[in-house]
């Protein structure tokens, strides 16, 4: 919502502020009091600079620092960046230092960060020479917060928003990183780039965030040239879309955008586009299986679009060619009949691309030059580029207009396209719109087209040199849209109003018919326009009729719809007087009921009055006044309960039409006052409310500041036509510097009138109320309500001339050394202090008539407005700001930029600026009068009626958010109601108080202010309120309240700081800031005593915080230990305690004891909290280990290489697992052990005592091995952390106690006991990292037998937990230290003992361990492979699947990344060669392979072939598993297996197939989606061609399905290789002539698909080839005896002829949604074959019926392509009897 700003210096000269402001808000100068703002701004800025500098020097971050930084962000909202460059830089440096204070409390950090982001937002204001920011502090902060080591243990609580704030902050600082930053970052994060590990994701995320890409060209060698080749190589070598690939793409997109013209992308374009196309996940071909990670890890469309846009242009035009190819290939997916989960992405692509291109054009052609690198002329987009772009995208956009997801994206795309090339975009849209306006039966079509026309409206109306006939379309469109005003179809009605309103704001409506006589220099176009114009009277007439008929229907939608209508409508239309009479007569001659119809008609009249106030007031006011006076002559009327309809209607009309310019009302003031005197005190509620409205509107009209006109040209339209000709102003932007806004500023007469009204109507009511409250005067309830209503209306009518509330400021809430004073803003009104509103005492009504809820509602409103209201409401302002932004978006001209908005919009924006100033009351001083009112609200919030409480609480929360520090004053009052020792609290008060603590969803939550002083009061009170008499757990509402409270505190709690010190660096900058001139703040320099005092205060503050922290823990412990506290509150209290764990303080001793005892608490909730807490406490108590840095080059004895190389290098050899040199002796181990401290701290002693107590441990284990949720439990990381901490901190001290339990648990095969022992063992193994050799050796002696038992007892329920256990144990550990474990696991995984299931589980567990070790265990991988290879012919399916998965991990390390050394781990290549050798017997057989292997291990040697089939099954499992997991597909090796799969894969879709066929099919589907490197294309085609020659038709059929998917998923890589295209064309056309019918039909489908995605083109040689084939003569049918068998083998001629027909049919079906020029002729050719023998006849019929189905929707358009003769033939065909023959 950053307000827009005009560049400095382009405005009219004001008083110069003595410096050049960076960029100020232009709209301020246009306010009626604009000339006063210079002085105000510089005063405020000086205050901010002085006080902020002061606060930092005094080390006072809170409240001083935060208070003044908040003031700075308010300053930016009000004046923009109205400070000098020096100040700007100083502000940024100061905030940067503040944000990066290491121990800063997180909520403060976010506050500073948001302001810093705002200061850095407009990067063109500060160049790299002005500002340089270091990158490392930011990196350290991200590492500390986003990758926190202690957050998961509950030692740190961060808010959810912190991640996005930090990332935005880095993005904002990035342009200013020093020139050497890139090199430093690469050195820092390159070691993390291990593709097998999660750290890769982290490294790439960091690179994407931090790497600067906007360095100037002369520094490119220090920027992207350092890493570009390496990263792009990495990107191209990865084929299976790992998680980090998306981040890499985002980085490239940013690089391209920042350096257009400096990088040659051409060599990469086909690969880039292929990957973008793949990332859309479009469904292709039949029976396709999607790899799930493709859906989750796909690229972000926004970045892909940026990248494409940045690569466009330049000399080669290659990108445009590919872009056209992309849209051609996906165009048919946009057709409205297609739908799927991919559709959203496609729509986003359409919407973002045009706007991105517009942004680039703006940058190249219209934007002011800044320090950022400009685009070189050679690479700027030329007009031809733009035209090509618009032409390639317009077809899909027009299709998308009617999409299932709605037309919004298409409308936005069209808006941007029309800015670039209106002549290409608007005509087709209009072509679709006119017919849509005619049809009544398809409302969706109408709403879609209208919203698109609204999008292009501004380009349409302004015409211009490209599209001069634009304006002539406007009138016919408006006339035809009128029937859309149909209250029965709500959405249609709304869009029609929006449509008419849009045009009427863009176009002045003036009756120009007389111009023909006066001027003779008009061109043709203009004359047409003028003579067609029937005058606006038509509109009004039409409207009145429409509403007349609907006036009696009374439903809600009508109401919304019609108020919209009238206001929008006539505001715009009635820029002329013709209609006034009509409206007047209509309003006066009928009487309407006041709810629906009355509101609408009154609104219409108000609009009329707004347009021409003088004339219309002359008509309306006297009329209404006389009617009302006439009807109220009789005094009885005043006391009627029900009033006359006519009287009410006239009152309503009068109250609406007085909402006009106050000056115009003055002449009628006597009449109006008379009416008020007659009607304010009517008995009838409806009557006096209307009268109060009249009073309210009169006051508002006379006292507010507002613009009085919103015409589209300054000065209105009343000039004679000879001087001014409106048509020239259609769609014209307003000129910001000559807006000439006509303001209404209250004159002294108006103010006097307003005071007169207040004196006559407000004062008497106040006196009455005062007497009533003192008991001097009796009043009925209705009178009280009437009184209050009048008071409320006076208040909101004159809010902005009432003086601010007086009173003493309440001091001592917060100690501060910096002034926290209020800043007053001038809003154009000078207060008159004679008037003051006093509120009748709430207490009186509460005591005497508490059930008079309506009066109480009014009182709450009045208090709320007294506290808040200054002439406009915050929520109204917010919604207006929102709608202003929406309108701006729908009409702005993004291409030109520079605020080319229409005048009405600019005026609106200035008005919003005025309102923003009136609403800026943040951080108001808290005075005693406010205190009284807030206390009244608190009384009301705890009263007995629910509705009253609710309304009062809302007002209460708003007030709390407005005044500084008032929460501290109020909290004790709220907590009074919760005290357990009070007996006079009712349940209602108790509930009210709880709601006051809870807060609403947006505002303050009293229970959880991030401040020790507050929490120390609230948390213990909440817990001990469980003993209060008013508390009853029977009431569900109260139980729910406590749940919500606890939940909200847990959700919103952020760790509160204990250390508030300010580093030296900040102080230095603060001093500089105070010294800076313009405006100078040097008057506030500090003496050294003050600075000493500040440091003193800060130390006290830290000590106080610590004291508070310990007090809070003690109080909570005392609360929780109270006797007879209900269990719910005990749990809440323990929850609060667990929030107080920190990573910078160890918990006090008694709290530790409490948590350890809670491990054996009866309630499972408490046990869970205790487990987490104790794990955290153990982390706090962890001893630090000495870190020794080693140099890998010295250890390995290998010199450092000069080039960068990844993979198994000689210098990381020593890290590998090597069975020759395992540390099996004490000496070998000693190189990595440490000394153990022998004394225990008190805290440790407590834990030690409990865990060495056998009873305690026994109970604990019993609890841990209980089931929690049956069947849902998993390995629990929290418990693992607990045990890991215990064994890490206390070595093996507790093993003797635990040993019997472990042995007992392992033997029990129940799910929960197994899980418990798995958690303990994982904790043991990880905790023993730093133990001495003897201890470790003893440990493994104990563990090995346990693990063996466990693995043999493994069950379906527990194998996952054991897998997790072993994987967790091995995570990030040195394999040499765990050699016992690996040897145990590798003993004999597939022994067959215990059946297939145990085998599969063992492999699973082993795989978990090895996968964590990644590249460090090549020896083990070789060993495992050698063991598995002979066992690949397993019979059991589950073992086969597991082996497949293990093989994936074995070969995972064999990747082909750029500059990687060959790996020491097993190579896929060698493995496949050995496998192929064994599969030879299957290769040679030509017949189909049946799966005739019995599922049993038969005795004796089976033949090779059966062995081959079994082997093949396992291999299939391996290929399927690796499709989703490995990084690069081993294409060359897999290709050799393809022919085999083609043979096996089934042709029909049938699920009853055996496993082998299903797997083969799945495998082919996955392989066909694989990404190919360009050099692999010829190899694949080679295999396909070879298979196409084979005899099995199954194989040929399967080739075709494979081909469809493969080509689409690698589209541009194939297109880039001409030979490949020809090969594929040859292949498909050859298979069209296959003798097997199914193959021919599949070939036809494939051909039509390839044509449809423009892979092959419809050229004449192809066409003639098919036509030739069609003419093949068929042999004559021989007359046969009926008895002979019919010859079934098709003759070769028939096949050829059928091939020709299929070819033609493929061409026709390849364009399902349009009719290209060649199509009619082909249809004619096809129809000639309708009576050929089968299967030709069938093909022709199918083709024709498909043609009919797809072209039916738009047949009217498509008909145009055919000649009359062709149409005759066609109609004959499509409806011929042959259909039913």
């Amino acid at each position: 919502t950053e307000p827009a700003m005009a560049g400095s210096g382009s405005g009219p000269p004001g008083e110069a502020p003595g410096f050049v402001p960076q960029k100020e808000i232009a709209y301020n100068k246009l306010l009626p009091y604009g000339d006063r703002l210079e002085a105000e701004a510089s005063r405020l800025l000086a205050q901010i600079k002085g006080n902020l500098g002061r606060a930092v020097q005094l080390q006072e971050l809170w409240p001083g620092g935060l208070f003044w930084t908040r003031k700075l962000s308010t300053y930016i909202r009000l004046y923009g960046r109205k400070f000098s460059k020096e100040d700007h830089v100083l502000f940024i440096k100061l905030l940067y230092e503040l944000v990066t204070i290491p121990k800063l409390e997180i909520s403060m950090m976010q506050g500073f960060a948001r302001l810093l982001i705002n200061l850095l937002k407009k990067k063109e204001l500060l160049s790299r020479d002005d500002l340089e920011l270091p990158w490392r502090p930011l990196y350290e902060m991200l590492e500390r917060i986003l990758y926190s080591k202690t957050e998961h243990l509950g030692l740190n609580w961060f808010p959810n928003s912190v991640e996005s704030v930090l990332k935005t902050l880095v993005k904002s600082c990035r342009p200013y990183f020093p020139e050497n930053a890139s090199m430093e970052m690469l050195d820092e994060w390159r070691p993390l780039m291990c593709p097998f590990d999660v750290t890769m994701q982290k490294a790439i995320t960091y690179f994407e965030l931090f790497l600067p890409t906007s360095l100037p060209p002369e520094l490119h060698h220090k920027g992207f040239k350092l890493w570009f080749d390496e990263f792009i190589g990495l990107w191209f070598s990865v084929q299976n879309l790992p998680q980090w690939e998306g981040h890499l793409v985002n980085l490239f997109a940013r690089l391209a955008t920042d350096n257009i013209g400096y990088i040659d992308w051409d060599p990469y374009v086909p690969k880039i586009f292929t990957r973008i196309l793949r990332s859309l996940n479009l469904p292709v071909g039949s029976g396709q299986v999607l790899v799930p990670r493709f859906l989750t890890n796909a690229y972000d469309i926004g970045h892909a679009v940026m990248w494409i846009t940045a690569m466009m242009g330049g000399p080669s035009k290659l990108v445009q060619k590919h872009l056209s190819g992309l849209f051609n290939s996906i165009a048919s997916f946009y057709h409205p009949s297609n739908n799927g989960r991919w559709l959203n992405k496609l729509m986003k692509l359409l919407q973002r691309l045009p706007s991105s291109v517009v942004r680039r054009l703006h940058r190249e052609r219209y934007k002011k030059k800044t320090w950022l690198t400009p685009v070189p002329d050679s690479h700027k987009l030329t007009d031809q580029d733009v035209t090509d772009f618009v032409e390639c995208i317009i077809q899909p956009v027009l299709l998308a207009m009617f999409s299932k997801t709605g037309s919004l994206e298409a409308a936005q795309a069209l808006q941007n396209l029309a800015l670039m090339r209106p002549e290409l975009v608007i005509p087709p849209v209009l072509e679709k719109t006119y017919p849509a306006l005619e049809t009544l039966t398809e409302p969706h079509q109408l709403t879609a087209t209208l919203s698109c026309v609204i999008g292009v409206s501004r380009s349409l109306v302004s015409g211009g040199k490209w599209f001069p006939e634009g304006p002539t379309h406007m009138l016919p469109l408006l006339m035809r849209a009128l029937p859309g005003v149909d209250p029965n179809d709500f959405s249609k009605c709304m869009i029609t109003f929006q449509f008419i309103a849009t045009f009427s704001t863009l176009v002045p409506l003036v009756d120009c018919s007389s111009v023909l006589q006066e001027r003779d220099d008009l061109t043709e176009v203009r004359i047409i326009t003028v003579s067609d114009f029937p005058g606006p009277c038509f509109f009004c007439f039409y409207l009145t009729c429409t509403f007349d008929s609907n006036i009696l229907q009374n439903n809600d939608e009508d109401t919304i719809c019609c108020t919209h209508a009238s206001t929008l409508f006539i505001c715009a239309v009635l820029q002329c007087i013709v209609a006034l009479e009509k409206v007047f007569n209509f309003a006066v001659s009928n009487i309407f009921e006041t709810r629906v119809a009355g509101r609408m008609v009154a609104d219409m009249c108000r609009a009329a009055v707004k347009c021409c106030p003088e004339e219309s007031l002359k008509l309306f006011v006297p009329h209404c006044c006389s009617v009302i006076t006439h009807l109220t002559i009789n005094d009885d009327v005043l006391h009627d309960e029900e009033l006359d309809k006519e009287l009410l209607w006239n009152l309503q009309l009068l109250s609406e039409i007085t909402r006009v310019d106050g000056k115009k009302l003055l002449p009628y003031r006597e009449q109006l006052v008379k009416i008020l005197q007659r009607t304010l005190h009517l008995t009838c509620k409806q009557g006096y409310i209307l009268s109060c409205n009249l009073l309210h509107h009169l006051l508002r009209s006379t006292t507010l500041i507002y613009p009085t006109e919103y015409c589209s040209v300054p000065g209105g339209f009343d000039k004679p036509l000879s001087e001014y000709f409106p048509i020239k102003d259609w769609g014209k932007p307003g000129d910001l510097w000559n807006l000439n806004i006509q303001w209404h500023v209250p004159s002294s007469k108006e103010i006097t009138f307003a005071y007169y009204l207040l004196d006559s109507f407000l004062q008497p009511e106040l006196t009455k109320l005062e007497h009533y409250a003192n008991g001097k005067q009796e009043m009925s309830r209705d009178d009280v309500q009437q009184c209050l209503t009048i008071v409320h209306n006076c208040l909101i009518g004159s809010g902005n001339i009432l003086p601010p509330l007086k009173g003493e400021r309440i001091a001592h809430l917060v100690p501060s050394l910096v002034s926290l004073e209020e800043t007053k803003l001038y809003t154009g009104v000078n207060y008159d202090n004679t008037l003051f509103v006093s509120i009748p005492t709430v207490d009186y009504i509460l005591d005497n008539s508490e059930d008079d809820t309506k009066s109480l509602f009014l009182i709450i409103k009045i208090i709320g407005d007294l506290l808040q209201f200054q002439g406009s409401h915050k929520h109204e302002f917010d919604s207006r700001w929102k709608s202003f932004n929406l309108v701006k978006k729908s009409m702005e001209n993004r291409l030109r930029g520079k605020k080319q908005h229409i005048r009405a919009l600019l005026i609106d924006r200035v008005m919003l600026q005025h309102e923003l100033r009136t609403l800026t009351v943040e951080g108001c001083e808290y005075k005693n009068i406010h205190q009284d009112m807030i206390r009244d609200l608190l009384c009301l919030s705890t009263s007995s009626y629910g509705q009253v409480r609710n309304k009062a609480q809302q007002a209460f929360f708003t007030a709390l958010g407005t005044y500084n520090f008032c929460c501290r004053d109020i909290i004790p009052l709220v907590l009074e109601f919760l005290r357990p020792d009070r007996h006079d609290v009712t349940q209602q008060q108790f509930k009210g108080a709880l709601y006051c603590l809870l807060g609403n969803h947006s505002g303050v939550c009293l229970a959880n202010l991030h401040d020790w002083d507050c929490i120390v009061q609230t948390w213990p009170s909440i817990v001990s309120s469980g003993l209060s008499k008013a508390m009853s757990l029977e009431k569900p509402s109260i139980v729910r309240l406590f749940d919500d409270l606890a939940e909200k505190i847990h959700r919103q709690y952020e760790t509160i700081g204990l250390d508030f010190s300010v580093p030296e660096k900040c102080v230095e900058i603060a001093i500089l800031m105070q010294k800076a001139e313009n405006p100078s703040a040097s008057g506030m320099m500090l003496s050294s005593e003050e600075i000493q005092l500040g440091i003193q205060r800060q130390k006290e503050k830290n000590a106080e915080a610590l004291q508070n922290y310990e007090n809070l823990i003690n109080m909570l412990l005392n609360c929780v230990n109270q006797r007879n506290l209900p269990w719910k509150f005990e749990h809440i209290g323990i929850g609060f305690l667990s929030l107080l764990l920190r990573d910078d303080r160890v918990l006090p001793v008694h709290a530790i004891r409490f948590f350890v005892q809670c491990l054996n608490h009866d309630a499972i909730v408490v046990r869970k909290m205790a487990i987490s807490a104790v794990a955290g406490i153990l982390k706090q108590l962890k001893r630090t280990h000495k870190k020794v840095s080693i140099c890998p080059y010295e250890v390995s004895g290998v010199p450092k290489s000069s080039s960068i190389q990844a993979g198994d290098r000689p210098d990381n050899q020593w890290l590998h697992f090597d069975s020759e040199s395992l540390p099996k002796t004490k000496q070998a181990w000693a190189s990595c052990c440490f000394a153990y401290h022998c004394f225990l701290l008190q805290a440790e002693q407590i834990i030690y005592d409990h865990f060495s107590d056998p009873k305690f441990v026994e109970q604990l284990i019993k609890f841990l091995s209980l089931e929690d949720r049956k069947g849902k439990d998993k390995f629990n990381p929290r418990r693992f952390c607990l045990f890991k901490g215990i064994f890490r901190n206390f070595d093996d001290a507790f093993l003797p106690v635990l040993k019997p339990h472990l042995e007992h648990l392992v033997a029990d095969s129940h799910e929960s006991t197994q899980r418990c022992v798995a958690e303990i063992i994982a904790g043991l193994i990880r905790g023993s990292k730093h133990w001495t050799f003897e201890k470790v050796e003893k440990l493994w002696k104990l563990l090995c037998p346990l693990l063996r038992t466990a693995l043999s007892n493994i069950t379906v329920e527990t194998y996952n937990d054991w897998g997790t256990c072993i994987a967790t144990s091995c995570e990030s550990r040195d394999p040499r230290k765990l050699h016992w474990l690996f040897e145990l696991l590798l003993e004999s995984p597939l022994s067959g003992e215990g059946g297939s299931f145990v085998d599969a589980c063992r492999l699973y567990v082993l795989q978990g361990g090895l996968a964590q070790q990644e590249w460090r265990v090549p020896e083990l991988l070789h060993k495992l492979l050698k063991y598995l290879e002979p066992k690949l012919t397993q019979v059991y399916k589950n073992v086969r699947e597991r082996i497949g998965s293990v093989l994936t991990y074995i070969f995972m390390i064999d990747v082909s990344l750029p500059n990687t050394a060959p790996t020491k781990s097993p190579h896929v290549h060698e493995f496949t060669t050995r496998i192929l050798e064994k599969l030879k017997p299957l290769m040679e057989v030509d017949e189909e392979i049946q799966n005739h292997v019995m599922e049993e291990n038969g005795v004796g040697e089976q033949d090779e072939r059966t062995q081959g089939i079994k082997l093949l099954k396992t291999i299939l499992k391996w290929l399927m598993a690796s499709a989703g997991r490995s990084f690069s597909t081993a294409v060359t090796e897999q290709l050799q297996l393809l022919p085999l799969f083609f043979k096996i894969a089934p042709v029909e879709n049938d699920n009853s197939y055996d496993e082998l066929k299903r797997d083969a099919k799945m495998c082919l589907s996955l392989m066909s989606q694989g990404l190919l490197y360009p050099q692999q294309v010829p190899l694949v085609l080679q295999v396909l061609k070879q298979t196409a020659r084979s005899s099995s038709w199954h194989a040929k059929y399967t080739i075709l399905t494979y081909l469809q998917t493969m080509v689409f998923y690698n589209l541009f890589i194939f297109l880039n290789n001409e030979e490949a295209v020809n090969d594929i064309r040859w292949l498909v056309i050859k298979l069209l002539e296959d003798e097997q019918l199914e193959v021919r039909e599949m070939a036809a489908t494939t051909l039509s698909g390839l044509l449809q995605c423009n892979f092959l083109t419809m050229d004449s040689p192809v066409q003639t080839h098919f036509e030739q084939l069609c003419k093949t003569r068929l042999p004559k049918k021989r007359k046969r005896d009926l008895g002979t068998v019919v010859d079934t083998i098709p003759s070769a001629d028939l096949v050829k002829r059928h091939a020709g027909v299929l070819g033609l049919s493929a061409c026709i079906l390849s364009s399902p949604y349009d009719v290209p020029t060649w199509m009619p002729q082909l249809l004619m050719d096809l129809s000639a074959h309708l009576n050929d023998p089968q299967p030709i006849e069938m093909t022709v019929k199918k083709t024709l019926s498909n043609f009919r189905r797809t072209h039916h929707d738009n047949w009217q358009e498509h008909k145009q392509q055919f000649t009359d003769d062709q149409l005759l033939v066609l109609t004959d065909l499509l409806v011929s009897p042959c259909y039913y023959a």
Side-chain angles (χ1 to χ4, degrees), residues 48 232 264 371 406 552 868 882 953 999 1025 1170 1286 1540 1577 1634 1637 1675 1685 1697 1708 1724:
I48 291 173
I232 203 125
D264 177 20
W371 62 274
L552 306 165
Q868 303 272 271
K882 256 205 192 113
Q953 283 153 7
S1025 71
I1286 283 177
L1540 196 52
V1577 170
D1634 192 81
L1637 176 63
V1685 184
R1697 185 161 178 146
I1708 287 169
M1724 295 302 110

Side-chain angles (χ1 to χ4, degrees), residues 1259-1508:
Q1259 186 59 45
L1260 176 67
I1261 298 282
K1262 205 181 264 164
F1263 275 136
L1264 288 181
S1265 51
L1266 289 177
E1267 243 179 347
D1268 180 5
R1269 296 169 310 159
K1270 187 158 182 57
K1272 295 267 178 67
D1273 294 349
K1274 289 198 177 63
F1275 181 94
N1276 186 334
R1278 293 261 164 88
R1279 296 179 183 183
F1280 156 73
C1281 289
L1282 170 69
F1283 285 111
K1284 175 180 155 189
I1286 283 177
F1287 295 120
R1288 178 190 59 215
N1289 292 10
F1290 296 96
D1291 279 21
D1292 53 0
F1294 310 132
L1295 264 187
V1297 186
L1298 271 169
K1299 188 178 167 183
H1301 292 295
L1302 290 176
E1303 286 163 354
H1304 157 73
L1305 288 172
V1306 163
D1308 181 347
S1309 63
H1310 280 99
E1311 188 184 348
S1312 47
T1313 45
Q1314 289 281 323
R1315 176 171 311 112
C1316 171
V1317 74
E1319 287 158 357
I1320 297 177
I1321 288 183
L1324 249 176
I1325 299 178
R1326 281 285 289 279
S1328 66
K1329 178 176 173 183
H1330 294 289
W1331 291 9
T1332 59
F1333 180 70
E1334 294 90 344
K1335 289 182 176 175
V1336 177
E1337 199 167 27
K1338 223 160 74 188
L1339 169 71
W1340 281 104
K1341 283 205 179 102
L1342 164 73
L1343 279 183
C1344 289
L1346 288 179
L1347 283 169
R1348 283 199 186 93
T1349 321
L1351 291 178
S1352 57
N1353 282 346
I1354 207 159
T1355 64
V1356 182
E1357 289 86 22
T1358 59
Y1359 84 95
N1360 261 320
D1361 302 321
W1362 280 108
T1364 317
C1365 161
I1366 300 295
T1368 313
S1369 318
C1370 301
E1371 186 187 351
S1372 318
R1373 283 285 161 272
D1374 189 325
R1376 295 168 300 168
K1377 282 194 176 182
L1378 293 177
H1379 64 93
W1380 293 278
L1381 178 62
F1382 289 122
E1383 283 159 9
L1384 169 87
L1385 291 175
L1386 277 167
E1387 269 163 13
S1388 57
L1390 298 178
S1391 57
E1393 293 166 20
S1396 66
F1397 179 73
V1398 172
D1399 283 356
C1401 293
R1402 283 196 170 165
L1403 273 178
Y1404 174 71
V1405 173
L1406 170 63
Q1407 173 188 348
L1410 289 180
Q1412 290 294 339
Q1413 286 303 331
E1414 294 154 4
W1415 51 273
R1416 288 177 300 214
V1417 287
E1419 182 184 331
L1420 296 179
L1421 294 177
H1422 277 295
K1423 196 167 158 188
L1424 181 59
L1425 182 61
K1426 200 166 165 190
Y1427 176 80
L1428 286 179
E1429 237 176 271
K1431 296 193 165 31
L1432 289 178
T1433 53
Q1434 275 291 331
V1435 163
Y1436 299 109
K1437 182 177 171 197
N1438 50 4
V1439 183
R1440 276 203 303 269
E1441 285 186 343
R1442 189 43 61 206
I1443 290 183
S1445 185
V1446 171
L1447 285 175
T1448 307
Y1449 278 101
I1450 291 180
F1451 296 122
M1452 175 87 92
I1453 316 297
D1454 182 20
V1455 285
S1456 50
L1457 299 176
N1459 48 34
T1460 312
T1463 171
K1464 294 262 185 300
S1465 299
H1467 290 260
V1468 185
H1469 182 67
E1470 298 157 13
F1471 175 67
T1472 342
T1473 329
R1474 298 198 291 271
I1475 295 294
L1476 282 168
E1477 194 52 45
K1478 291 185 189 162
L1479 289 177
K1480 258 223 176 102
L1482 296 182
M1483 296 286 205
E1484 288 151 5
V1485 190
D1486 229 7
E1487 76 214 55
E1488 262 189 69
I1489 298 175
Q1490 292 303 341
N1491 183 16
H1492 51 132
V1493 183
M1494 305 302 293
E1495 284 276 340
E1496 57 169 327
N1497 279 345
V1499 193
E1501 198 41 51
Q1502 290 156 333
D1503 62 342
E1504 292 182 340
R1505 183 148 173 214
T1506 326
Q1507 289 287 24

Side-chain angles (χ1 to χ4, degrees), residues 567-621:
T567 40
L568 273 175
F569 217 101
I570 305 207
C571 283
V573 172
L574 281 175
Q575 297 178 336
C576 59
I577 307 168
V578 191
L580 187 59
E581 319 277 318
K582 286 209 163 125
V583 177
F584 175 65
N585 295 333
F586 179 58
V588 173
S589 53
N590 299 309
I591 295 173
F592 300 99
E593 46 80 36
T594 47
R595 265 196 46 238
V596 181
R599 257 176 53 198
M600 279 154 36
V601 181
D603 265 349
M604 281 170 63
C605 299
R606 170 177 129 221
V609 174
K610 215 172 175 170
C611 289
C612 21
E614 282 153 11
E615 298 81 350
S616 32
L617 287 174
K618 244 183 230 151
L619 285 172
F620 281 104
V621 178

